[in-house]
Amino acid sequence: HRIRVKRSWVLSNRMKEKLALAIMTEVARCFYQHLPPQTLHALAQRLNIASEPLPPIIHALIQHGLLVRTDAELTGYVPGQAPETITLLAVIEAVRQAEEDNILSLQRITNDAMVDHYFQIYQDAAAKVLTATTLKDLVMTNTTTATQVINK
Protein backbone atom coordinates (compact mmCIF):
# COMPACT_ATOMS: atom_id res chain seq x y z
CA HIS A 1 0.00 0.00 0.00
CA ARG A 2 1.12 3.52 -0.75
CA ILE A 3 0.60 6.04 1.97
CA ARG A 4 -0.20 9.48 0.70
CA VAL A 5 1.57 12.10 2.74
CA LYS A 6 0.00 15.53 2.73
CA ARG A 7 2.59 18.07 1.69
CA SER A 8 2.91 21.33 3.54
CA TRP A 9 3.27 24.09 0.97
CA VAL A 10 5.60 26.96 1.79
CA LEU A 11 5.97 29.39 -1.09
CA SER A 12 8.67 31.97 -1.49
CA ASN A 13 7.55 35.60 -1.69
CA ARG A 14 8.52 35.57 -5.36
CA MET A 15 6.21 32.60 -6.02
CA LYS A 16 3.34 34.23 -4.09
CA GLU A 17 3.69 37.44 -6.09
CA LYS A 18 3.87 35.66 -9.45
CA LEU A 19 0.91 33.42 -8.59
CA ALA A 20 -1.15 36.42 -7.46
CA LEU A 21 -0.47 38.19 -10.78
CA ALA A 22 -1.18 34.99 -12.72
CA ILE A 23 -4.45 34.33 -10.84
CA MET A 24 -5.68 37.89 -11.32
CA THR A 25 -4.69 37.87 -15.00
CA GLU A 26 -6.54 34.62 -15.63
CA VAL A 27 -9.64 35.81 -13.74
CA ALA A 28 -9.64 39.12 -15.65
CA ARG A 29 -9.08 37.33 -18.97
CA CYS A 30 -12.20 35.22 -18.35
CA PHE A 31 -14.09 38.37 -17.32
CA TYR A 32 -13.24 40.18 -20.57
CA GLN A 33 -13.90 37.13 -22.73
CA HIS A 34 -17.27 36.55 -21.01
CA LEU A 35 -16.20 33.06 -19.90
CA PRO A 36 -17.46 31.39 -16.72
CA PRO A 37 -15.62 32.32 -13.51
CA GLN A 38 -12.56 30.17 -12.89
CA THR A 39 -12.75 27.61 -10.08
CA LEU A 40 -9.81 26.83 -7.82
CA HIS A 41 -9.07 23.63 -9.72
CA ALA A 42 -9.42 25.29 -13.12
CA LEU A 43 -6.98 28.00 -12.02
CA ALA A 44 -4.52 25.40 -10.75
CA GLN A 45 -4.74 23.50 -14.02
CA ARG A 46 -4.37 26.67 -16.10
CA LEU A 47 -1.36 27.78 -14.03
CA ASN A 48 0.18 24.28 -14.09
CA ILE A 49 0.44 24.04 -10.30
CA ALA A 50 -1.19 21.96 -7.57
CA SER A 51 -4.29 23.59 -6.11
CA GLU A 52 -3.15 23.32 -2.45
CA PRO A 53 -0.90 26.42 -2.37
CA LEU A 54 -3.51 28.69 -4.03
CA PRO A 55 -6.12 29.26 -1.25
CA PRO A 56 -3.94 31.55 0.93
CA ILE A 57 -3.14 33.68 -2.12
CA ILE A 58 -6.78 33.78 -3.19
CA HIS A 59 -7.76 34.66 0.39
CA ALA A 60 -5.32 37.60 0.43
CA LEU A 61 -6.72 38.87 -2.89
CA ILE A 62 -10.28 38.59 -1.53
CA GLN A 63 -9.31 40.38 1.71
CA HIS A 64 -7.97 43.29 -0.33
CA GLY A 65 -11.13 43.48 -2.46
CA LEU A 66 -9.36 42.45 -5.65
CA LEU A 67 -11.15 39.13 -6.06
CA VAL A 68 -14.70 38.00 -5.27
CA ARG A 69 -15.94 34.44 -4.73
CA THR A 70 -19.11 33.59 -6.67
CA ASP A 71 -22.11 31.90 -5.10
CA ALA A 72 -22.51 29.47 -7.99
CA GLU A 73 -22.80 25.72 -7.47
CA LEU A 74 -19.12 25.48 -8.39
CA THR A 75 -17.42 28.35 -6.59
CA GLY A 76 -15.50 30.54 -9.00
CA TYR A 77 -13.71 33.85 -8.85
CA VAL A 78 -14.31 37.19 -10.56
CA PRO A 79 -12.54 40.54 -10.27
CA GLY A 80 -13.56 42.45 -7.14
CA GLN A 81 -13.15 45.77 -8.97
CA ALA A 82 -13.01 46.87 -12.58
CA PRO A 83 -9.71 45.44 -13.92
CA GLU A 84 -8.77 48.87 -15.32
CA THR A 85 -8.67 50.18 -11.73
CA ILE A 86 -6.55 47.36 -10.29
CA THR A 87 -2.85 48.17 -10.50
CA LEU A 88 -0.23 45.45 -10.51
CA LEU A 89 1.12 47.10 -7.36
CA ALA A 90 -2.21 46.46 -5.59
CA VAL A 91 -2.01 42.76 -6.51
CA ILE A 92 1.58 42.42 -5.31
CA GLU A 93 0.87 44.35 -2.10
CA ALA A 94 -2.10 42.12 -1.31
CA VAL A 95 0.10 39.04 -1.01
CA ARG A 96 3.10 40.88 0.46
CA GLN A 97 0.98 42.25 3.31
CA ALA A 98 -1.18 39.15 3.80
CA GLU A 99 0.46 37.89 6.97
CA GLU A 100 1.16 41.28 8.55
CA ASP A 101 -0.87 42.36 11.55
CA ASN A 102 -0.43 44.51 14.65
CA ILE A 103 2.03 42.03 16.13
CA LEU A 104 4.03 41.28 12.98
CA SER A 105 4.46 44.42 10.88
CA LEU A 106 7.19 46.54 9.34
CA GLN A 107 6.68 49.23 11.96
CA ARG A 108 7.70 46.85 14.76
CA ILE A 109 11.14 46.16 13.29
CA THR A 110 13.87 48.21 14.92
CA ASN A 111 14.90 51.06 12.64
CA ASP A 112 18.30 51.14 10.99
CA ALA A 113 18.83 54.23 8.82
CA MET A 114 20.71 52.43 6.03
CA VAL A 115 18.36 49.46 5.95
CA ASP A 116 15.37 51.80 5.86
CA HIS A 117 16.98 53.91 3.12
CA TYR A 118 17.69 51.00 0.77
CA PHE A 119 14.43 49.28 1.55
CA GLN A 120 12.60 52.48 0.58
CA ILE A 121 14.58 52.76 -2.67
CA TYR A 122 13.53 49.18 -3.49
CA GLN A 123 9.88 49.90 -2.60
CA ASP A 124 9.81 53.13 -4.63
CA ALA A 125 11.33 51.51 -7.72
CA ALA A 126 8.81 48.66 -7.63
CA ALA A 127 5.91 51.03 -7.03
CA LYS A 128 6.93 53.26 -9.94
CA VAL A 129 6.79 50.37 -12.40
CA LEU A 130 3.82 48.48 -10.95
CA THR A 131 1.54 51.49 -10.41
CA ALA A 132 1.76 52.45 -14.08
CA THR A 133 0.19 49.18 -15.27
CA THR A 134 -3.31 47.89 -14.58
CA LEU A 135 -4.68 44.39 -14.73
CA LYS A 136 -6.57 45.35 -17.90
CA ASP A 137 -3.29 46.47 -19.50
CA LEU A 138 -1.75 43.10 -18.67
CA VAL A 139 -4.71 41.10 -20.01
CA MET A 140 -5.03 43.12 -23.21
CA THR A 141 -1.28 42.94 -23.85
CA ASN A 142 -1.35 39.17 -23.36
CA THR A 143 -4.38 38.84 -25.65
CA THR A 144 -2.81 40.99 -28.38
CA THR A 145 0.54 39.19 -28.16
CA ALA A 146 -1.12 35.76 -28.25
CA THR A 147 -3.18 36.77 -31.30
CA GLN A 148 -0.05 38.05 -33.07
CA VAL A 149 1.81 34.78 -32.35
CA ILE A 150 -1.15 32.67 -33.56
CA ASN A 151 -1.54 34.71 -36.77
CA LYS A 152 2.16 34.38 -37.78
Side-chain angles (χ1 to χ4, degrees), residues 21-22 25 88 133-143:
L21 287 170
T25 300
L88 300 188
T133 306
T134 67
L135 193 55
K136 181 180 180 181
D137 297 331
L138 191 61
V139 170
M140 294 306 170
T141 300
N142 280 345
T143 303

Side-chain angles (χ1 to χ4, degrees), residues 11-102:
L11 299 177
S12 69
N13 291 333
R14 190 171 66 153
M15 282 290 294
K16 290 176 190 176
E17 292 170 359
K18 184 166 183 179
L19 282 170
L21 287 170
I23 289 166
M24 291 302 298
T25 300
E26 182 61 20
V27 167
R29 184 188 66 77
C30 290
F31 173 79
Y32 281 117
Q33 293 179 358
H34 305 289
L35 297 171
Q38 291 288 286
T39 64
L40 174 67
H41 295 291
L43 282 168
Q45 188 172 25
R46 177 86 172 142
L47 301 176
N48 195 32
I49 189 168
S51 60
E52 290 84 1
L54 297 181
I57 296 167
I58 289 171
H59 179 73
L61 296 168
I62 290 170
Q63 290 299 109
H64 281 79
L66 303 176
L67 203 58
V68 173
R69 184 180 292 115
T70 65
D71 286 335
E73 186 175 319
L74 279 177
T75 300
Y77 301 95
V78 295
Q81 305 169 25
E84 61 270 16
T85 67
I86 300 174
T87 66
L88 300 188
L89 181 62
V91 176
I92 296 292
E93 284 182 341
V95 293
R96 290 184 85 201
Q97 298 169 358
E99 288 134 15
E100 292 180 16
D101 57 24
N102 291 335

Side-chain angles (χ1 to χ4, degrees), residues 98-147:
E99 288 134 15
E100 292 180 16
D101 57 24
N102 291 335
I103 297 169
L104 276 173
S105 69
L106 286 178
Q107 292 76 22
R108 294 200 43 105
I109 298 173
T110 302
N111 290 337
D112 177 291
M114 292 308 293
V115 170
D116 290 347
H117 173 73
Y118 284 102
F119 188 73
Q120 194 58 52
I121 289 171
Y122 165 72
Q123 296 288 97
D124 293 345
K128 183 177 180 182
V129 173
L130 297 173
T131 301
T133 306
T134 67
L135 193 55
K136 181 180 180 181
D137 297 331
L138 191 61
V139 170
M140 294 306 170
T141 300
N142 280 345
T143 303
T144 303
T145 303
T147 303

